[in-house]
Amino acid sequence: MTTADMWFDPRCPWAWNASRWLLEVERVRDVRVRFHVMSLSVLNEGRDGLEEWYREWLKPGMGPVRVAVAAEQKFGNEVLRDLYTALGNRIHHDRAVLDRDLYVAALTEVGLPVELADAADSTDHDEALLASHHVGLEPVGEDLGTPTIHVTDQAGRRTAFFGPVVAPIPRGEAAGRLWDGVLLVSGTDGFFELKRARTRRPIER
């Protein structure tokens, strides 16, 4: 079994696409996905040159990240799989406002205590968040973000990379072929970047 550890911020649409792709990969390859939390708000704190719309977009970003980390701290890493899905469906498909109602609805859906929604406005779990954030980004570069994926193969070899940034989400065997290709290039010694301009929105209404 190959393990894919993915670091996500619940608000990032490109991370959402990558996470749904990885779940497709599980269906067609011998892969198990584990999810972990990072924060775009933490990543961009104090950065100069951010566009004003993005700076405003980041402001409420700590809420869902803190709720996810609080849930993981109390109930273990496995809860993030379903909680991320519950949060992501509301954020990316329902376009729900980032508020307590969203967090309570997502927590209720996956059978977690609604009191975890209190974490959105608390710094109690920020130390754990920062630790998870840095574990995820350190191997690929702290100037990058999410999706960040670490892959550990059956022989224990590990590689880490940012991406893939993809839309629409590959399904079925197409997801498997992308996985095969990503592993090939990311496992090549000295390979750093393959990129082209984005021509599509990550998630269409």
Side-chain angles (χ1 to χ4, degrees):
M1 177 72 70
T2 294
T3 301
D5 290 281
M6 179 185 163
W7 276 258
F8 70 93
D9 182 313
R11 297 191 69 204
C12 178
W14 298 107
W16 176 250
N17 284 5
S19 71
R20 302 308 97 179
W21 163 67
L22 285 175
L23 294 179
E24 287 287 312
V25 171
E26 281 190 336
R27 297 175 55 239
V28 295
R29 297 293 187 271
D30 192 17
V31 173
R32 174 64 178 174
V33 181
R34 296 184 300 201
F35 293 103
H36 309 272
V37 185
M38 61 82 67
S39 169
L40 291 173
S41 297
V42 169
L43 180 69
N44 289 283
E45 186 176 5
R47 280 191 175 180
D48 296 326
L50 296 178
E51 294 186 39
E52 189 57 34
W53 72 267
Y54 189 61
R55 196 180 300 279
E56 290 298 313
W57 183 85
L58 288 170
K59 285 183 178 179
M62 290 297 286
V65 167
R66 284 170 165 163
V67 171
V69 170
E72 181 184 24
Q73 289 281 289
K74 189 169 181 63
F75 294 102
N77 175 261
E78 279 297 314
V79 303
L80 287 181
R81 170 181 286 249
D82 291 340
L83 181 57
Y84 181 21
T85 294
L87 289 167
N89 281 329
R90 287 167 173 79
I91 292 169
H92 301 295
H93 298 296
D94 299 343
R95 302 295 200 268
V97 176
L98 292 182
D99 60 13
R100 184 178 177 82
D101 289 343
L102 184 156
Y103 310 137
V104 167
L107 291 164
T108 300
E109 178 183 325
V110 298
L112 292 173
V114 297
E115 292 78 12
L116 288 170
D118 296 340
D121 300 311
S122 169
T123 61
D124 289 352
H125 300 278
D126 283 5
E127 185 175 345
L129 166 61
L130 290 173
S132 177
H133 178 98
H134 291 305
V135 166
L137 267 59
E138 185 177 5
V140 298
E142 294 280 351
D143 59 325
L144 298 174
T146 182
T148 290
I149 299 170
H150 300 188
V151 177
T152 306
D153 68 16
Q154 296 172 358
R157 294 181 296 261
R158 195 175 197 199
T159 186
F161 50 86
F162 168 80
V165 174
V166 61
I169 301 162
R171 304 289 184 180
E173 184 56 26
R177 289 195 300 271
L178 177 57
W179 172 258
D180 297 340
V182 166
L183 290 191
L184 177 63
V185 297
S186 65
T188 299
D189 183 47
F191 179 86
F192 297 108
E193 188 169 353
L194 179 68
K195 191 172 183 178
R196 59 185 171 190
R198 300 175 194 170
T199 59
R200 300 177 183 176
R201 294 178 56 85
I203 299 170
E204 300 293 343
R205 287 185 179 273

